[in-house]
């Protein structure tokens, strides 16, 4: 697998710091991530995995937030450059392609991590939202990224696929909505049992009244308290395992 780099610099209104759309390749196909360096001395690197609609302004906003807090941050692209589905059926189709080909999913995440390592000297933390949260756990279970310092999933899929299991992993932070009808509390309980059995450090927070996708700004599902609490806890998690 060879990765090539190309970058288009886009100036953003963040104290003059530039955000970068960075093109890289996986098996000769173009992918486009988004990077922003830390504001000031860098505390570390955070890699963000997108939701089922691909890398959009939402992930770019999270990257900017991390940059303002002193982290290098890079959002990876698992769909391919320009592939940002809008219709629900197309979002489902894109995620199903990767759920049905877990090896490709892992390789795409690793390609993004490889790109992140070219633009930041730090060992990464990996976080993700919804589909991205499920992808985070996929990478954690695989053991294919030993340099990762920690994982975080926000309202992500939590079930372990048949034939997989956790063995060794960096610490994991799980943020879950208590009113999430798509990912029931039984999945949270089962995941905690698996992590305990594997002797993996983890933290789980459940927010009352928070539905699925509770962190998505300006949506009907957004819950300010749960979003802000989970973000604060995530930052504490980063500081703990730096």
């Amino acid at each position: 697998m060879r990765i090539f780099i190309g970058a288009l610099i886009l100036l953003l209104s963040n104290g003059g710091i530039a955000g970068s759309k960075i093109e890289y390749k996986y098996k000769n196909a173009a992918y486009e991530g988004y990077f922003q360096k830390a504001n000031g001395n860098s505390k570390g690197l955070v890699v963000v995995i997108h939701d089922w609609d691909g890398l959009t302004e939402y992930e770019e906003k999270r990257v900017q937030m991390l940059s303002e807090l002193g982290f290098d941050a890079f959002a990876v692209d698992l769909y391919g450059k320009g592939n940002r589905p809008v219709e629900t059926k197309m979002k489902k189709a894109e995620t199903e392609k990767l759920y049905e080909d877990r090896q490709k999913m892992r390789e795409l995440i690793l390609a993004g991590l490889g790109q992140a390592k070219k633009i930041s000297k730090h060992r990464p933390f990996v976080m993700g939202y919804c589909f991205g949260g499920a992808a985070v756990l996929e990478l954690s279970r695989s053991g294919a990224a030993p340099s990762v310092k920690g994982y975080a999933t926000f309202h992500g899929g939590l079930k372990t696929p048949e034939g997989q299991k956790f063995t060794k992993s960096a610490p994991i932070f799980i943020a879950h909505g208590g009113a999430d009808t798509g990912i029931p509390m039984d999945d949270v309980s089962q995941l905690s049992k698996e992590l305990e059995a594997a002797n993996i450090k983890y933290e789980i927070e459940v927010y009352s009244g928070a539905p699925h996708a509770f962190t998505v700004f300006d949506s009907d599902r957004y819950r300010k308290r749960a979003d802000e609490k989970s973000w604060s806890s995530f930052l504490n998690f980063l500081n703990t395992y730096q």
Side-chain angles (χ1 to χ4, degrees):
M1 178 175 64
R2 295 184 299 171
I3 299 173
F4 301 88
I5 309 170
L8 172 64
I9 303 297
L10 299 179
L11 290 176
L12 298 172
S13 57
N14 180 19
I17 293 177
S20 305
K21 285 190 174 181
I22 297 181
E23 182 177 316
Y24 60 99
K25 289 193 175 182
Y26 164 76
K27 292 187 175 179
N28 294 322
Y31 291 78
E32 189 174 70
Y34 185 85
F35 174 73
Q36 193 156 324
K37 68 179 181 179
N39 186 356
N41 293 330
S42 178
K43 300 176 183 177
L45 168 65
V46 181
V47 173
V48 181
I49 305 180
H50 58 74
D51 194 358
W52 68 341
D53 53 351
L55 201 175
T56 66
E57 290 180 358
Y58 177 80
E59 287 77 23
E60 291 181 5
K61 174 63 177 177
R62 294 293 181 179
V63 164
Q64 293 165 27
M65 291 169 66
L66 288 162
S67 169
E68 290 167 1
L69 292 168
F71 293 92
D72 296 335
F74 182 65
V76 302
D77 176 13
L78 302 190
Y79 286 176
K81 184 178 180 179
N83 185 3
R84 307 293 184 259
V86 177
E87 296 181 359
T88 298
K89 66 178 182 179
M90 296 306 297
K91 295 176 186 178
K92 289 181 178 178
E94 290 301 324
T95 57
E96 285 173 2
K97 288 178 186 177
L98 296 180
Y99 283 136
E100 292 172 1
D101 189 346
R102 298 275 177 163
Q103 180 175 343
K104 182 177 181 180
M105 182 193 292
R106 293 189 293 272
E107 289 179 356
L108 285 168
I109 301 170
L110 291 172
L113 281 174
Q115 173 60 45
K117 292 175 183 178
K118 292 178 182 292
I119 51 183
S120 177
K121 64 182 180 180
H122 301 284
R123 290 175 56 199
F125 287 86
V126 182
M127 67 181 296
Y129 295 90
C130 295
F131 162 71
V136 163
L137 295 182
E138 181 71 27
L139 182 64
S140 168
R141 286 188 300 267
S142 75
S147 67
V148 171
K149 298 176 74 173
Y151 297 94
T153 169
F154 294 77
H155 43 78
L158 302 178
K159 282 188 175 180
T160 299
E162 186 176 351
Q164 291 191 26
K165 66 178 182 178
F166 289 92
T167 53
K168 294 181 179 179
S169 172
I172 303 173
F173 171 72
I174 301 108
H176 184 74
D180 190 331
T181 57
I183 303 171
M185 289 299 298
D186 286 349
D187 289 359
V188 179
S189 175
Q190 178 58 35
L191 177 60
S192 71
K193 292 176 183 177
E194 294 175 23
L195 297 177
E196 284 287 344
N199 197 30
I200 293 170
K201 293 180 180 178
Y202 68 96
E203 300 173 15
I204 296 176
E205 289 193 359
V206 178
Y207 312 103
S208 63
H212 188 66
F214 62 82
T215 69
V216 181
F217 307 117
D218 300 321
S219 73
D220 293 339
R221 294 170 179 259
Y222 182 72
R223 297 295 184 273
K224 187 174 187 291
R225 183 191 67 83
D227 174 42
E228 292 181 351
K229 180 65 172 66
S230 62
W231 186 253
S232 176
S233 296
F234 170 61
L235 296 179
N236 287 336
F237 178 79
L238 293 180
N239 290 330
T240 298
Y241 294 104
Q242 280 288 15

